[in-house]
Structure formats: structure tokens, C-alpha cells
């Protein structure tokens, strides 16, 4: 049983890393589109391009590790999620292909066409919305049929307040995380025009972030009361720490100081909330069908997977840090001097 908890913890770390890195990428795409439409592209698009160029190709590596690991550790997830999530997963893959196509046209084409930029920017918001459907369905109440013939109750999903609250939280989180990082990046680049605009966006998205998070929390009580009670009874302190980190990030940004610390607080804010949600959800992965203590693979395979995925973390995270230090945060590069 201990191997199941270690395995899900490692996978949750992979997923969290993906959420942070992909949110910066997805949000940056939307801000690029918004700036183009509002004629503010000369203020920020050069800054966003300097960040995206070195890192866009490694964004999805963490998600691939998570997906492969989830099926490896808990084989039943392939049967349940693979059946009911066929449509949203297909939509997400199409949107990811659109974004990949945009990068190809951007890097090798003579100029950026507005229709391509529009698809790129909008896809960045729809991908997390589609992927968030997984977390919604995992709370139970949406899967119908027998074990041999599973189906997704689309009407129930579309009419569920919890479902829509999770979708809006996914979209707003992307804009919030991305604007927080880009504010820090603009301050580091000493680009005042970009900094003022991005700081304004970060402050704007703060209140909706907290409001939607609260609505998700309250609507969870209607969807899965057991999960809600476990969260408020045993893990309330993690959500309180998350809110304290949010206040700290907002205060530093309002004071126009310590933007690196402000973004570190944003990461901690999301981390406490994300791991608090995950811990309070256990032992269920998909309520009430899959429990981690019953659906995990045999011990020898679990140990092998744990070793491989921990080594993967030890390889990926230092590699990402090295990439950021060599390119994204290089003093001359960030200031556009090379």
C-alpha cells in the first residue's frame, strides 16, 4: 500500500510541474493575441517571444510522464478514463496540434497571421478546460453503464455547477499564473511598458482566481460530500496557507517589489491548494471505481516504476532549471541584447 501512496505522490508532482509550466505557456499565448487585437503587441510580444522560444518544446514532457505513469501504476485508469474521456482528450490533442503548428509557422514562416494567432491564443485556454474535465469526472456521478460498457452522462456533466466551476478555474488559473510569471520576467528585463501592462493583468486576475476557487470548493460539497468534508476537516490548513501566499503575492505586486518572491508565492499558493485537493481526495482516484490501494500494480512493478519516475524528476527538473539559467534568465538575453 505504501508503494501506491509513493507512486501517486510522484505522479502528482509531475502533474503540478506541468500545470505551472504549461500555464505560463498557455497564458502567454492568450496575452499575445489580446495585445495584438488591442494594438499593444509592441509592448509585450517581444518579451513573451523571448521566454517561449527556448522552453515551448519541453512543456509537455511532464504531462507525458504523468500520463504514462498513471496507466503504469494504476492500470484500471486506462479502462475507465480511456473510455469516458475519449472526446475531451481528442479535443485537447487537436488543440495541442494547433499550437504546435503555430510554432512551426512562427519560427519558419515570414510573418504571423492573425487567424493562426487567434487559434493559438484561444487553444491555450481551451486545452486546460478540456483536461480539467478529468478532475471533474473523478469526483463521481458522471459515469453510467456497467463495467463492460461504460458511458459518460454528458447531460449531467454539462448541467453540473461543479463541472463549470472547474472549467472556469482552469482558465483563470492559466491567466493568473502566466501574468504573475510574466510580470516578474518583465521586471527582470527592466521593460517598463511590458511590466506596467502585465502587472495590471496580474492584479486584475487575482480576485476572480479566489472567487472561482471558493465556488469550486462549495460546489464540491454538492458533487462529493465525502471529499469536501475530508478537505475541510483534515486539510483546511493547506488551503489557509494557499490563501496567505495569495495575499503575500498581491501585496508585493501592489508595492512593486520582490516580483521573484511574488511568483514564488504564486507557486506555493497553487501547490498548497493542489496538494491539499489531492491528499483530501485519497484513497480514491476515480470515485467510487478506483482506489489507489486496490488498483495499484504488483509490488515489484511499483518499485521499478517509482525508481524510474524519481530518476525522471531528478533529470527533468535540473535540466529545466539549467535551460532557464542559460537562456530565459540570462541577463543579456532577458534584456533583448542577444
Amino acid at each position: 500500500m505504501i508503494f501506491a501512496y509513493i507512486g501517486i505522490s510522484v505522479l502528482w508532482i509531475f502533474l503540478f510541474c506541468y500545470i505551472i509550466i504549461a500555464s505560463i505557456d498557455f497564458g502567454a499565448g492568450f496575452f499575445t493575441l489580446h495585445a495584438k487585437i488591442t494594438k499593444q503587441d509592441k509592448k509585450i510580444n517581444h518579451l513573451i517571444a523571448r521566454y517561449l522560444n527556448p522552453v515551448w518544446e519541453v512543456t509537455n514532457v511532464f504531462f507525458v510522464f504523468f500520463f504514462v505513469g498513471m496507466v503504469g501504476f494504476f492500470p484500471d485508469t486506462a479502462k475507465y478514463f480511456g473510455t469516458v474521456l475519449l472526446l475531451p482528450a481528442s479535443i485537447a490533442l487537436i488543440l495541442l496540434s494547433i499550437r504546435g503548428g503555430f510554432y512551426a509557422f512562427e519560427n519558419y514562416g515570414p510573418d504571423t497571421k492573425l487567424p493562426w494567432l487567434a487559434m493559438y491564443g484561444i487553444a491555450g485556454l481551451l486545452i486546460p478546460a478540456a483536461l480539467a474535465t478529468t478532475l471533474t469526472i473523478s469526483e463521481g456521478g458522471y459515469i453510467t453503464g456497467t463495467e463492460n460498457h461504460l458511458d459518460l452522462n454528458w447531460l449531467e456533466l454539462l448541467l453540473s455547477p461543479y463541472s463549470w466551476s472547474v472549467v472556469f478555474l482552469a482558465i483563470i488559473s492559466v491567466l493568473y499564473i502566466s501574468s504573475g510569471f510574466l510580470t516578474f520576467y518583465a521586471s527582470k528585463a527592466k521593460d517598463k511598458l511590458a511590466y506596467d501592462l502585465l502587472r495590471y493583468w496580474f492584479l486584475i486576475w487575482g480576485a476572480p482566481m479566489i472567487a472561482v476557487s471558493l465556488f469550486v470548493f462549495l460546489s464540491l460539497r454538492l458533487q462529493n460530500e465525502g471529499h469536501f468534508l475530508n478537505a475541510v476537516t483534515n486539510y483546511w490548513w493547506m488551503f489557509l496557507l494557499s490563501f496567505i501566499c495569495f495575499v503575500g503575492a498581491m501585496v508585493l505586486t501592489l508595492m512593486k517589489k520582490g516580483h521573484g518572491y511574488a511568483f514564488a508565492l504564486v507557486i506555493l499558493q497553487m501547490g498548497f491548494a493542489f496538494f491539499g485537493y489531492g491528499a483530501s481526495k485519497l484513497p480514491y482516484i476515480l470515485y467510487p471505481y478506483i482506489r489507489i490501494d486496490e488498483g495499484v500494480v504488483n509490488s515489484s512493478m511499483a518499485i521499478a516504476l517509482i525508481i524510474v519516475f524519481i530518476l525522471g524528476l531528478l533529470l527533468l527538473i535540473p535540466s529545466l532549471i539549467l535551460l532557464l539559467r542559460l537562456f530565459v534568465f540570462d541577463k543579456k538575453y532577458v534584456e533583448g541584447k542577444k
Side-chain angles (χ1 to χ4, degrees):
M1 186 175 174
I2 187 65
F3 298 128
Y5 281 94
I6 295 174
I8 196 65
S9 299
V10 173
L11 294 179
W12 214 240
I13 293 172
F14 271 107
L15 185 57
F16 178 69
C17 292
Y18 174 73
I19 287 174
I20 297 299
I21 299 169
S23 292
I24 297 172
D25 187 345
F26 294 155
F30 179 80
F31 292 138
T32 300
L33 172 63
H34 182 274
K36 183 75 171 180
I37 294 174
T38 57
K39 310 297 184 183
Q40 295 176 309
D41 50 308
K42 293 184 179 179
K43 292 183 180 180
I44 66 168
N45 283 9
H46 60 286
L47 183 82
I48 292 175
R50 284 205 296 273
Y51 167 75
L52 290 178
N53 283 340
V55 302
W56 72 270
E57 294 180 78
V58 301
T59 300
N60 294 317
V61 175
F62 287 94
F63 183 70
V64 172
F65 265 86
F66 169 78
F67 178 78
V68 173
M70 182 61 72
V71 175
F73 277 107
F74 310 101
D76 284 348
T77 56
K79 178 179 67 177
Y80 285 95
F81 285 117
T83 302
V84 300
L85 290 175
L86 182 60
L87 181 58
S90 299
I91 293 173
L93 285 174
I94 292 171
L95 294 172
L96 285 169
S97 299
I98 290 174
R99 287 177 61 82
F102 171 82
Y103 284 123
F105 278 95
E106 174 72 11
N107 289 328
Y108 304 113
D111 57 3
T112 302
K113 303 297 183 182
L114 184 59
W116 269 103
L117 186 59
M119 288 191 289
Y120 167 72
I122 295 172
L125 299 185
L126 295 181
I127 290 170
L131 295 177
T133 308
T134 307
L135 295 179
T136 304
I137 295 171
S138 69
E139 294 297 337
Y142 301 106
I143 297 178
T144 60
T146 64
E147 186 174 344
N148 295 323
H149 184 71
L150 300 171
D151 200 5
L152 183 63
N153 189 335
W154 284 99
L155 182 62
E156 182 71 22
L157 184 66
L158 293 175
L159 295 179
S160 169
Y162 178 71
S163 174
W164 285 106
S165 64
V166 171
V167 167
F168 284 120
L169 178 62
I171 294 173
I172 293 173
S173 296
V174 162
L175 299 173
Y176 173 75
I177 295 170
S178 183
S179 59
F181 173 81
L182 292 173
T183 300
F184 161 56
Y185 199 55
S187 69
K188 194 170 182 64
K190 300 177 181 178
D191 190 331
K192 189 176 186 309
L193 289 176
Y195 168 77
D196 289 340
L197 182 58
L198 291 164
R199 174 179 172 271
Y200 169 76
W201 282 344
F202 179 60
L203 294 173
I204 285 292
W205 287 111
M209 176 71 192
I210 293 300
V212 175
S213 298
L214 181 60
F215 187 72
V216 168
F217 206 65
L218 294 176
S219 61
L220 177 61
R221 184 173 186 176
L222 300 175
Q223 189 64 37
N224 190 333
E225 187 174 7
H227 184 186
F228 172 81
L229 292 176
N230 191 27
V232 298
T233 303
N234 300 316
Y235 298 95
W236 59 269
W237 57 274
M238 296 189 74
F239 298 103
L240 177 60
L241 287 174
S242 176
F243 181 72
I244 293 173
C245 291
F246 164 78
V247 174
M250 288 290 110
V251 169
L252 287 174
T253 305
L254 284 169
M255 295 173 62
K256 298 184 178 181
K257 293 181 179 179
H259 292 291
Y261 294 112
F263 184 67
L265 287 174
V266 169
I267 295 176
L268 288 175
Q269 172 197 341
M270 303 305 295
F272 282 124
F274 186 70
F275 284 92
Y277 165 84
S280 62
K281 185 181 178 65
L282 296 177
Y284 290 100
I285 297 176
L286 173 61
Y287 185 87
Y289 300 100
I290 305 176
R291 294 170 54 101
I292 65 169
D293 51 350
E294 297 175 355
V296 69
V297 295
N298 60 74
S299 298
S300 58
M301 179 62 75
I303 293 172
L305 287 171
I306 288 170
I307 294 173
V308 169
F309 279 84
I310 290 178
L311 290 175
L313 274 179
L314 295 177
L315 175 65
L316 283 175
I317 292 180
S319 298
L320 181 62
I321 293 173
L322 181 62
L323 178 67
L324 293 175
R325 288 179 63 87
L326 289 178
F327 296 98
V328 178
F329 292 120
D330 178 78
K331 182 176 176 56
K332 292 184 178 179
Y333 181 82
V334 73
E335 294 178 2
K337 296 179 181 179
K338 72 174 185 178

